[in-house]
Amino acid sequence: MLLRGIISTPLPSSIRLKTPTRPKTVAISAHAPTDTKTTTNYSISDQALESRGFILRRTIDDLNLDHLNTVFVAVGFPKRDPQKIKLALNHTDSLLWIQYKKTQRPVAFARATGDGVFNAIIWDVVVDPSFQGIGLGKAVMERLLDELSSKGICNIALYSEPRVLGFYRPMGFVADPDGIRGMVYSRKQKKRK
């Protein structure tokens, strides 16, 4: 069951800088509620985001892929080919990103792919390290989960670094739900002798 809660803590005015690390990832998933007609109270409203200088976006229009790539690298992801990012985004079912009005750059991002009926996987949840700790990651995740749930999608999975599992648990994600373990096929290059 996807758990939801209301957090009434306002965004702090200070912005903290965190040093990114890159440990291995863990697969976790959540089951969305079957009642998709419930109203969601977000921890930060769209109006509160806007009053703090942020714009919530739901399309790739106006998304500068080089700037997004900069955020990916800043959180420890490898630098990606912008053409491959564009291709991935064109095959994405749902996405949300937050733009900082002052710089016109993306500062938070998340996207999901899936079959559009039963299953979805959330990818690339990132927040620029200069903007971490003020609720932007939670803002994109709450809205992405709400969008997927409103489509009736009930099995939502994601990959996460172990150090941020605590971020996802309050949203209803659990590692190895019902004893089910995820597996990933990996084609690693074999070293030649």
Side-chain angles (χ1 to χ4, degrees):
M1 160 103 37
L2 182 63
L3 303 176
R4 298 216 186 258
I6 301 169
I7 298 176
S8 58
T9 308
L11 281 171
S13 58
S14 63
I15 297 175
R16 297 185 317 225
L17 182 63
K18 294 183 181 179
T19 307
T21 57
R22 195 162 178 246
K24 58 185 170 180
T25 58
V26 175
I28 58 178
S29 68
H31 292 284
T34 53
D35 177 14
T36 59
K37 296 179 182 173
T38 58
T39 337
T40 302
N41 291 318
Y42 298 125
S43 58
I44 303 171
S45 70
D46 293 359
Q47 295 80 13
L49 284 168
E50 191 170 330
S51 73
R52 289 170 171 87
F54 299 104
I55 302 169
L56 184 66
R57 306 265 188 191
R58 295 180 181 271
T59 69
I60 60 172
D61 299 339
D62 300 323
L63 178 58
N64 181 307
L65 300 182
D66 290 325
H67 293 164
L68 179 60
N69 216 356
T70 300
V71 178
F72 286 157
V73 170
V75 299
F77 287 13
K79 186 171 181 170
R80 299 173 177 179
D81 177 340
Q83 291 304 316
K84 287 185 178 182
I85 294 173
K86 185 176 182 177
L87 184 61
L89 295 179
N90 287 335
H91 289 90
T92 293
D93 299 315
S94 300
L95 73 87
L96 285 144
W97 60 285
I98 295 176
Q99 182 179 41
Y100 188 45
K101 285 182 193 176
K102 265 187 187 174
T103 62
Q104 298 296 304
R105 289 177 172 249
V107 294
F109 179 88
R111 68 185 184 97
T113 59
D115 59 23
V117 181
F118 303 110
N119 303 293
I121 298 178
I122 296 175
W123 303 98
D124 302 328
V125 180
V126 294
V127 177
D128 184 306
S130 300
F131 292 87
Q132 290 178 359
I134 60 172
L136 300 181
K138 188 170 188 176
V140 293
M141 282 298 297
E142 287 173 336
R143 286 159 178 82
L144 189 59
L145 289 169
D146 192 43
E147 183 178 328
L148 295 170
S149 297
S150 73
K151 293 177 180 179
I153 296 170
C154 59
N155 186 30
I156 303 167
L158 63 82
Y159 291 93
S160 173
E161 294 177 357
R163 68 181 174 88
V164 294
L165 288 175
F167 170 74
Y168 296 108
R169 284 190 178 115
M171 292 179 225
F173 286 93
V174 294
D176 304 327
D178 302 321
I180 298 170
R181 294 206 174 240
M183 296 178 72
V184 177
Y185 174 75
S186 179
R187 294 185 312 163
K188 292 187 178 185
Q189 298 293 331
K190 293 181 181 180
K191 293 182 182 178
R192 294 183 182 193
K193 295 179 183 181

